[in-house]
Amino acid sequence: MREILPALGRWYAEGEPFGLATVVSVSRSAPRGPGAAMAVGPDDEVVGSVSGGCVEGAVFELAKEVLADGEARLQTFGYSDEDAFAVGLTCGGEITLLVRPVSPSADTVFGAVADSVAGHRPVTAATVVDGPAPRGAALAVWTDRVSGSLGSPGLDAAVTADARGGLAQGATGLRHYGPQGQRREDEVSVFLHSFAPPPRMLVFGAIDYAAAVARIGDFLGYRVTVCDARPVFATPKRFPGGVEVVVDWPHRYLDRTETDARTVICVLTHDPKFDVPLLELALRRPAAYIGAMGSRRTHDDRVKRLREAGLDEQRLARLRSPVGLDLGARTPEEVAVSVAAEIVALRWGGSGAPLTATAGAIHPAGAATV
């Protein structure tokens, strides 16, 4: 959804209705997670994807139907081998979609949600999926306010509380309530889609490898900052547009920069006078990933210096060094793929092994798109 919101926000601002299909639940090896979206707008323009191509043709027709009659629909697609021409998922999984019309009159809060996401302000969009409440009704929840309604004050209050709790974790998924928001009932299904600000990627060392890592980090949806103490290297023209470039000593910049459990820190300087004070600080603070470039000899020397600086084995175990997965990478771009692969594997609990050597579901249960 985040990827297609610029187009949707433009259509909404211009008063152009569009049909929006959102994945609200999945089972088994579904190709996209909850929150994946596809929309059909003016002149039958299509943006986004809900299945990687398996059912998009049928979803296109559904979106046209909801635009024509104004009625939201809930549709499930699964695997079928009974009819070679049947619409279904070839992966053997199942996805359930909410397909609804969106326009300033049909959804009064969508524009504010799109603006918040564009401005990196956290917001949760709650939409009624099923039950004795208006299907497609929408409520937007911020940390300090709400807008819209799901049909009853009690339901609005219960969903607001859950949305704010989920927003802190970036959680997206279905929740169930009674018609008045009762916690022990499940007649009403509500999809909570949390848009937390993009996670940060901090890249230290403005070298060719950093430029490649910055590009792939930006592609993966991180807000990327490159920091180097050498102004001759730390120049914006050497990095993709949208990547922040800072001239400062790495440890000094990190010391004044907030990190959290989603932050990625890539140390590519491989120079002890930069690496050691930076990693000593990084390994004492929250981060999802801390990787450092260098040979095995450099790694051994670095770890020795960090032990001397007082870091224990538990903290040192967080360090991914040498950085990246063993792909045989040589060029900066190949190394960036190796680093990105390790970050993704660590985030989702992947093994890093070839899929041909593994068994079971390809897409882990509970994976969500945020």
Side-chain angles (χ1 to χ4, degrees), residues 150-176:
L150 302 181
S152 76
L155 183 57
D156 289 347
V159 170
T160 296
D162 288 346
R164 285 179 174 153
L167 190 56
Q169 303 173 348
T172 287
L174 279 176
R175 300 296 292 265
H176 304 280

Side-chain angles (χ1 to χ4, degrees), residues 2 34 122-124 162-173 192-197 262 347-348 366-370:
R2 190 187 296 274
V123 62
T124 294
D162 288 346
R164 285 179 174 153
L167 190 56
Q169 303 173 348
T172 287
L192 303 184
H193 194 164
S194 296
F195 294 94
R262 301 187 302 154
R347 178 184 181 188
W348 296 112
T369 303
V370 298

Side-chain angles (χ1 to χ4, degrees), residues 2 14 25-26 40 57 71 84 125 141 153 167 195 217 223-224 229 234 244 259 263 283 310 317-318 326 328 352:
R2 190 187 296 274
E14 294 170 352
S25 68
V26 303
V40 179
E71 297 293 328
V141 180
L167 190 56
F195 294 94
R223 182 161 67 93
V224 182
E244 180 187 26
T259 64
T263 303
L283 292 168
R318 300 176 62 204
D326 181 14

Side-chain angles (χ1 to χ4, degrees), residues 313-325:
E313 297 306 310
Q314 183 177 359
R315 286 194 169 96
L316 289 172
R318 300 176 62 204
L319 179 60
R320 318 290 288 196
S321 174
V323 70
L325 296 185

Side-chain angles (χ1 to χ4, degrees), residues 265-333:
I265 299 174
C266 296
V267 180
L268 309 181
T269 49
H270 54 82
D271 183 331
K273 68 175 178 290
F274 294 122
D275 290 359
V276 174
L278 173 61
L279 287 170
E280 180 185 353
L281 184 60
L283 292 168
R284 297 182 189 275
R285 54 166 52 211
Y289 176 92
I290 303 171
M293 176 177 280
S295 66
R296 298 194 187 280
R297 179 180 298 177
T298 297
H299 168 75
D300 292 341
D301 177 70
R302 183 189 290 139
V303 168
K304 176 177 177 291
R305 293 170 184 262
L306 289 170
R307 285 197 181 99
E308 291 171 352
L311 290 180
D312 59 25
E313 297 306 310
Q314 183 177 359
R315 286 194 169 96
L316 289 172
R318 300 176 62 204
L319 179 60
R320 318 290 288 196
S321 174
V323 70
L325 296 185
D326 181 14
L327 305 183
R330 293 290 186 272
T331 68
E333 291 74 20

Side-chain angles (χ1 to χ4, degrees), residues 8 29 37 71 73 107 183 235 256 259 261 270 301 321 340 367:
L8 305 189
S29 187
E71 297 293 328
R73 288 166 171 73
D107 185 338
R183 295 289 182 177
T235 60
R256 68 172 190 270
T259 64
H270 54 82
D301 177 70
S321 174

